[in-house]
């Protein structure tokens, strides 16, 4: 059983070229791929995985000889799969429609249980019929499954479904455990079954365009790297906000809460990329080594480092009334699960000692936004009578990918008044064309799942979470999570559609962040928004 997962540098454009070559090369008759989708009847599969596989097929980024086999307990047909995923994809023209039909022809579906050996043997027999004439047969297993079936499914994959004449790769969705111990137990279980380079723990935020851009911004620009330290940076805030609540999914959300759902994984991964030292190369393991070093220097959180909130209803809102978290019938009565959290992280190393890193995430807030805001220190010996405001470098992850720098300039006119303005890179304005645009006149960025699944095909693990990285991430959060649950810490109320609990802003200001509220940004499309 082999694996070609190496520690070489993998440039995405090289990956695209290689995969397209595999897709087009009819002479490459000795290699075959099977992509298994476990949980094929679920929401994740129909909303993300199948649309992603279709997009990769459409753009010739899946090797030509790839068969997709869905597996779940539900009895479905390929026609049912088509119905399930059609609402989540767009077909532009007849040419794409024909491609979509060819994509469906490469899809199959088997129903069975997740704990029955005979069902997995049947699945393996079905897959083998496509591989018999090929010298090399590779297999990818995507586990779009609830955590309670990870163990039996991975055990049966190992016992019955592994390829003996190619590589095997297992893609696992979060949550990767519930706390440090459960995560360690899952990691031990997986390490008994698979090699580390066969395990791909997917965090889709690592596939987002602006998260991918962090290393280039930091290490590819002389203007940023020398000032990326405690001598120049006052604070760093990493924010994730959603303008909607649990919407009937409260029962699922309540068992995890906002810290496990967003902060411990997505936001902490971004923190690592923002804070890490320059790796010795762009090889996957060199990058992941530096991320682990950041986590090892990050102090374990306590209740004093946390502000928690839970949204309440706004019955006076325009249009439909906005209901609170506890109004959701799927949420347990009296639940104290937070839907908003702010955490102050401290990194005890030479570069960042004393710089507060604020991780901030919430549901039912005033907007949809994910961004990194790096606020620089005040100007020393200010000669402008206190008119100077702090410079900020802001990296907007979503929506509307952008990088902009806030700085001071003289206001036009006869006065010597200072005002804030920006150097602005907004992607939709700057990038009107690219290799993937074809006839479109707007910049199209790949979906995070597209990039990451392509990485799995290529055997590039840089954008996936390693076991030691996962252990350190849980080490930072587990004690405070246990304390919150044991003491049933009451979250602060905030109104559906508001920024957050006021105490969260007060907490940031008390620990070194400055908020002025005076800056207005005019985007190139002539919309005025607050930044």
């Amino acid at each position: 059983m082999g694996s070609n997962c190496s520690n070489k540098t993998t440039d995405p454009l090289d990956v695209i070229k290689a995969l397209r070559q595999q897709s087009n090369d009819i002479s490459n008759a000795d290699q075959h791929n099977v992509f298994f989708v476990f949980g094929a009847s679920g929401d994740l599969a129909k909303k993300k995985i199948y649309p992603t596989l279709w997009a990769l097929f459409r753009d010739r980024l899946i090797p030509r000889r790839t068969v997709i086999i869905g597996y779940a307990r539900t009895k479905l047909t390929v026609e049912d799969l088509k119905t399930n995923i059609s609402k989540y994809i767009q077909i532009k023209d007849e040419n794409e429609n024909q491609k979509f039909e060819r994509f469906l022809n490469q899809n199959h579906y088997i129903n069975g249980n997740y704990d029955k050996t005979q069902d997995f043997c049947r699945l393996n027999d079905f897959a083998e019929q496509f591989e018999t004439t090929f010298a090399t047969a590779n297999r990818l297993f995507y586990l779009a499954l609830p955590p309670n079936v990870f163990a039996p499914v991975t055990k049966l994959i190992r016992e019955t479904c592994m390829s003996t004449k190619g590589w095997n790769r297992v893609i696992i969705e979060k949550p990767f455990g519930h706390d440090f111990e459960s995560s360690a137990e899952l990691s031990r279980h997986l390490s008994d079954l698979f090699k580390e380079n066969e395990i791909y723990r997917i965090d889709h935020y690592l596939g987002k365009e602006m998260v991918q851009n962090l290393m280039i911004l930091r290490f590819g620009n002389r203007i940023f790297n020398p000032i990326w330290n405690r001598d120049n940076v006052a604070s760093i805030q990493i924010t994730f906000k959603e303008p909607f609540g649990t919407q009937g999914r409260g029962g699922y959300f309540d068992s995890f809460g906002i810290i496990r759902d967003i902060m411990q994984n997505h936001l902490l991964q971004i923190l690592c990329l923002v804070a890490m030292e320059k790796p010795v190369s762009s090889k996957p393991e060199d990058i992941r080594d530096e991320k682990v070093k950041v986590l090892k220097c990050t102090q374990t959180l306590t209740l004093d480092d946390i502000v928690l909130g839970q949204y309440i209803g706004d019955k006076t809102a325009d249009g439909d009334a906005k209901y609170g978290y506890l109004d959701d019938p799927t949420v347990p009565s009296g639940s104290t699960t937070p839907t908003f959290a702010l955490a102050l992280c401290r990194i005890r190393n030479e570069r960042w000692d004393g710089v507060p890193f604020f991780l901030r995430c919430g549901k039912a807030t005033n907007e949809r936004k994910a961004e990194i805001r790096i606020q620089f220190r005040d100007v020393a010996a200010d000669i402008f009578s206190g008119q100077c405001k702090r410079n900020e470098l802001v990296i907007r992850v979503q929506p509307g990918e952008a990088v902009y720098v806030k700085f001071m300039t003289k206001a036009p006119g006869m006065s010597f008044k200072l005002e804030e303005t920006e150097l602005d890179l907004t992607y939709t304005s700057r990038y009107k064309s690219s290799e993937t645009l074809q006839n479109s006149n707007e910049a199209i960025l790949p979906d995070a799942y597209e990039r990451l699944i392509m990485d799995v095909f290529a055997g590039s693990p840089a954008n996936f979470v390693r076991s030691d990285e996962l252990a350190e991430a849980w080490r930072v959060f587990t004690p405070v999570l246990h304390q919150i649950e044991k003491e049933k810490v009451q979250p602060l109320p905030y109104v559906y559609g508001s920024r957050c609990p006021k105490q969260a802003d007060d907490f940031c200001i008390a620990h070194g962040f400055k908020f002025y509220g005076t800056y207005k940004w005019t985007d190139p499309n002539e919309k005025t928004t607050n930044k």
Side-chain angles (χ1 to χ4, degrees), residues 422-457:
E422 76 283 327
L423 295 173
D424 185 9
L425 165 60
T426 298
Y427 270 47
T428 53
S429 300
R430 177 64 177 84
Y431 299 112
K432 294 292 187 182
S433 63
S434 77
E435 180 185 337
T436 61
L437 293 186
Q438 298 176 355
N439 297 323
S440 173
N441 61 359
E442 293 185 3
I444 297 175
L445 300 176
D447 179 80
Y449 277 92
E450 293 175 34
R451 192 190 308 272
L452 293 175
I453 288 180
M454 188 180 75
D455 281 349
V456 179
F457 270 103

Side-chain angles (χ1 to χ4, degrees), residues 276-280 286-294:
M276 73 182 190
E277 297 298 319
K278 186 176 183 178
V280 297
D286 289 335
I287 295 170
R288 299 205 289 185
D289 286 346
E290 294 303 330
K291 290 167 65 182
V292 172
K293 289 179 185 177
V294 171

Side-chain angles (χ1 to χ4, degrees), residues 190-385:
L190 292 173
S191 66
D192 288 341
L193 302 174
F194 310 107
K195 301 172 184 175
E196 180 65 32
N197 64 9
E198 294 175 327
I199 303 169
Y200 288 73
R201 299 172 186 86
I202 193 167
D203 183 332
H204 74 274
Y205 253 66
L206 291 177
K208 288 188 175 291
E209 180 72 21
M210 297 310 297
V211 176
Q212 294 261 313
N213 203 8
L214 276 169
M215 280 189 56
I216 289 83
L217 286 172
R218 282 198 59 189
F219 305 123
N221 294 288
R222 177 66 182 169
I223 60 173
F224 292 136
N225 203 37
I227 61 173
W228 211 272
N229 54 50
R230 65 190 300 269
D231 296 327
N232 298 282
V233 175
S235 68
I236 296 177
Q237 191 161 166
I238 302 170
T239 301
F240 174 94
K241 299 165 74 174
E242 289 180 329
F244 50 83
T246 53
Q247 298 177 328
R249 295 180 65 248
Y252 170 82
F253 178 86
D254 200 76
S255 63
F256 294 98
I258 196 73
I259 295 177
R260 289 186 177 93
D261 194 40
I262 302 296
M263 186 179 288
Q264 184 272 341
N265 37 72
H266 301 331
L267 301 193
L268 198 61
Q269 285 293 319
I270 294 175
L271 179 147
C272 290
L273 292 171
V274 170
M276 73 182 190
E277 297 298 319
K278 186 176 183 178
V280 297
S281 77
S282 58
K283 293 176 182 178
E285 295 312 317
D286 289 335
I287 295 170
R288 299 205 289 185
D289 286 346
E290 294 303 330
K291 290 167 65 182
V292 172
K293 289 179 185 177
V294 171
L295 291 171
K296 286 183 176 179
C297 294
T298 302
Q299 288 189 312
T300 302
L301 293 170
T302 70
L303 271 183
D304 291 336
D305 303 316
I306 298 281
V307 177
L308 303 175
Q310 187 185 90
Y311 68 90
I312 59 175
D314 183 7
K315 304 292 176 34
T316 64
D318 293 337
D320 295 336
K322 303 298 184 182
Y323 292 98
Y325 180 68
L326 296 180
D327 297 325
D328 186 334
T330 64
V331 172
S333 177
S335 171
T336 58
T337 297
T339 60
F340 170 91
L342 171 70
L344 169 57
C345 294
R346 298 176 178 87
I347 301 174
R348 296 299 194 197
N349 63 16
E350 187 175 3
R351 181 180 294 271
W352 296 117
D353 191 23
V355 177
F357 282 74
F358 300 105
L359 305 185
R360 185 184 189 116
C361 53
K363 288 185 169 292
T365 63
N366 59 329
E367 61 183 331
R368 175 175 177 256
K369 181 170 74 174
E371 71 174 22
I372 304 147
R373 185 172 296 262
I374 300 165
Q375 189 172 86
F376 294 93
R377 292 192 178 277
D378 295 313
V379 173
D382 177 20
I383 62 173
F384 299 108
S385 303

Side-chain angles (χ1 to χ4, degrees), residues 487-505:
E487 298 180 11
K488 295 191 179 299
V489 175
Q490 190 67 39
L492 300 163
Y494 64 100
V495 177
Y496 193 122
S498 62
R499 271 178 49 82
C500 62
K502 180 181 180 300
Q503 292 89 334
D505 286 338

